[in-house]
Amino acid sequence: MHIQSIPMWEGSSNNYAYLVVDDKTKDAVIIDPANPPEVAPVLKQQIDSGKINLTSIINTHHHWDHAGGNSKILEQFKGLPVIGGKQCEAVTKTPKDGETFKIGEGITVKALYTPCHTQDSICWYMEDGNEKVVFTGDTLFIGGCGRFFEGTPAEMNTALNKTLAALPDDTKVYPGHEYTKTNVKFLTTVLHTEPVMKLQSFAENNKETQGKFTIGDEKVGYTGMKPHNDFADSGVDIQRVYAA
């Protein structure tokens, strides 16, 4: 499995689209190609050079800065299925929670429903041999989580501490935005632990943090994926933890 991050709107919303390629067949999907002027040239270059066979668009949720580029992408790359929640732009297929499908011959994809940020939020867990990754959209960031636009703290707790926490600890996390520096500023007001300090150092010295941290790292470093009694005595507002 090869993953290419495509930054979008750098300096403002700092989104990521992701191109995921099966090494053997070159079959590929593009995740959240929300800004076609930044994404389409990358796809065209890869297709024209014979490096990929683009098979579908995948969305993590319906917000415009994740799914809003689907129709424009389809104008240039016709006939692609759009896989995502029912409210996503131009969607053609919405897998059931836990449903799996393949990218090429090597990559198995599982849909994980994580309603809260939006009710159609889906995290996409992928395995290729021993390699494990999860694309979390605006549900889980490095050191933080998304706002509760359509859900409740209880739903976010389920998404983080039941659905995503059940993934193998060595699963690499690919979020929808580069928010780590902002998130860690809040984390340092809550916990002064070694994992948090390491995350702070990494964020200060690296422009991008996607794919550099795992579910296991999030469990020990991000308060929203820690048992509440680890920090409840400090007087921290639980909802603030879940809205970092």
Side-chain angles (χ1 to χ4, degrees):
M1 171 166 43
H2 177 73
I3 300 169
Q4 179 178 351
S5 302
I6 306 174
M8 301 177 293
W9 297 299
E10 289 187 85
S12 55
S13 58
N14 295 311
N15 286 65
Y16 286 119
Y18 295 105
L19 181 62
V20 183
V21 186
D22 176 55
D23 293 323
K24 185 174 181 180
T25 64
K26 299 182 182 178
D27 284 354
V29 301
I30 184 67
I31 299 175
D32 288 353
N35 192 19
E38 293 182 283
V39 177
V42 176
L43 298 179
K44 185 176 187 303
Q45 189 279 326
Q46 295 274 357
I47 292 170
D48 289 349
S49 64
K51 292 181 179 179
I52 67 168
N53 171 37
L54 190 62
T55 62
S56 62
I57 297 169
I58 294 179
N59 290 138
T60 58
H61 61 292
H62 71 264
H63 283 165
W64 71 269
D65 63 328
H66 293 265
N70 292 350
S71 294
K72 286 292 185 182
I73 292 290
L74 290 169
E75 288 178 8
Q76 185 168 351
F77 306 98
K78 300 184 186 301
L80 296 175
V82 177
I83 303 170
K86 293 180 180 179
Q87 297 182 61
C88 291
E89 182 176 285
V91 67
T92 59
K93 179 176 174 57
T94 300
K96 296 178 181 178
D97 187 21
E99 184 175 340
T100 63
F101 59 92
K102 301 283 285 190
I103 302 171
E105 296 179 7
I107 304 172
T108 300
V109 184
K110 178 183 283 189
L112 301 175
Y113 281 24
T114 51
C116 182
H117 180 71
T118 65
Q119 285 299 304
D120 70 344
S121 290
I122 301 175
C123 293
W124 300 98
Y125 174 66
M126 301 188 186
E127 290 185 328
D128 185 0
N130 293 324
E131 190 172 4
K132 309 173 192 71
V133 302
V134 62
F135 297 91
T136 54
D138 287 2
T139 294
L140 176 65
F141 303 120
I142 307 301
C145 70
R147 297 183 182 278
F148 304 176
F149 286 120
E150 298 179 9
T152 65
E155 286 180 311
M156 185 60 78
N157 182 60
T158 296
L160 298 180
N161 292 310
K162 294 181 181 179
T163 303
L164 294 177
L167 297 177
D169 280 352
D170 60 348
T171 302
K172 294 179 181 178
V173 178
Y174 288 84
H177 296 263
E178 184 55 64
Y179 286 165
T180 308
K181 286 184 179 179
T182 301
N183 290 337
V184 81
K185 286 181 181 178
F186 171 69
L187 286 179
T188 56
T189 70
V190 179
L191 292 175
H192 295 280
T193 61
E194 183 177 354
V196 170
M197 296 302 108
K198 285 183 176 179
L199 177 58
Q200 182 181 38
S201 176
F202 189 91
E204 288 175 350
N205 290 285
N206 293 273
K207 183 179 179 180
E208 299 181 359
T209 60
Q210 77 285 11
K212 303 299 183 183
F213 295 89
T214 65
I215 289 293
D217 294 327
E218 296 274 40
K219 287 179 181 178
V220 299
Y222 169 42
T223 53
M225 290 191 75
K226 293 171 71 67
H228 289 177
N229 60 13
D230 281 5
F231 56 91
D233 292 341
S234 68
V236 173
D237 181 347
I238 297 300
Q239 292 196 44
R240 177 66 182 89
V241 168
Y242 285 135

